[in-house]
Amino acid sequence: MRRILVVGITGAGKSTMARTLSSRFAVPYHEMDALHFAGPGWAVNDEFVTQVARIASSPAWIFDSYGYPEVRDLLWEHADTVVWLDYPRRVIMPRVLRRSLRRTLLRERIFGGNRETLTDWFRRDHPAWWAWSQHGVRRADIQRRVRDPRFAPLQVIRFGTPEEAADWLRSQ
């Protein structure tokens, strides 16, 4: 496991899992949202695809992503391992709601110095709305990719609950 892609719906814990794996396996972790957003106003990094392609061609990395269609196939083609946090909505939604509420109330700076605001909660691309509406779509796409021969040989480690993931991490 040297090129690890951690996938799942918004709020599944991809970044947390990726940081843990990075520490455990001494493999560099790259936070996809931090690479994608370049600055205030959710400005997009013009070099995003180039940066991801450069990292993906290196011998070892961990990304926490499923999104960003412009680099999705690239990451799946270069990965040797996919860690899939395949959690149900009843697990995801409380997590994403707590995280967004904390970020909004505490005005936490995130990617590119941006912040989640109360107004953002009413947008279709807010993490809470996105996690709810995209849960089934994302799950189906990941299932399709796992079976796609273009991405073989690919080790897939799938967890249906956070407890399964925690047990696996303890065994590593």
Side-chain angles (χ1 to χ4, degrees):
M1 292 194 327
R2 302 298 297 162
R3 292 176 168 182
I4 304 168
L5 182 57
V6 181
V7 299
I9 190 67
T10 300
K14 296 180 302 292
S15 298
T16 301
M17 174 63 82
R19 277 191 296 274
T20 302
L21 293 174
S22 175
S23 174
R24 185 88 29 103
F25 299 134
V27 173
Y29 162 53
H30 305 277
E31 186 173 24
M32 190 64 76
D33 289 334
L35 289 170
H36 187 259
F37 295 109
W42 301 99
V44 174
N45 174 4
D46 292 335
E47 299 297 316
F48 174 66
V49 173
T50 303
Q51 287 177 340
V52 171
R54 181 181 42 78
I55 296 166
S57 66
S58 69
W61 48 260
I62 298 174
F63 279 105
D64 62 341
S65 181
Y66 167 82
Y68 306 110
E70 61 270 38
V71 296
R72 190 177 300 148
D73 284 347
L74 173 77
L75 292 173
W76 279 79
E77 288 164 0
H78 283 80
D80 62 28
T81 305
V82 169
V83 175
W84 181 7
L85 306 180
D86 186 20
Y87 303 157
R89 277 193 178 110
R90 70 178 180 277
V91 171
I92 299 298
M93 292 312 299
R95 288 176 167 202
V96 76
L97 289 169
R98 278 191 305 268
R99 181 184 70 188
S100 285
L101 186 60
R102 184 193 75 237
R103 286 177 174 175
T104 301
L105 292 175
L106 299 179
R107 301 191 35 82
E108 290 180 15
R109 288 193 183 276
I110 55 176
F111 327 110
N114 293 290
R115 293 185 169 124
E116 286 187 38
T117 66
L118 184 57
T119 305
D120 293 335
W121 282 72
F122 299 99
R123 295 174 42 138
R124 288 188 156 304
D125 62 350
H126 183 271
W129 294 109
W130 188 258
W132 182 263
S133 68
Q134 295 300 304
H135 188 274
V137 172
R138 185 165 288 188
R139 186 170 191 266
D141 188 62
I142 294 170
Q143 283 177 326
R144 182 185 59 74
R145 287 174 175 279
V146 162
R147 295 184 189 112
D148 191 326
R150 288 181 303 155
F151 307 126
L154 184 64
Q155 177 182 10
V156 178
I157 305 167
R158 181 177 181 180
F159 303 111
T161 67
E163 295 76 23
E164 288 175 5
D167 289 346
W168 178 77
L169 280 171
R170 279 191 291 276
S171 74
Q172 297 302 305

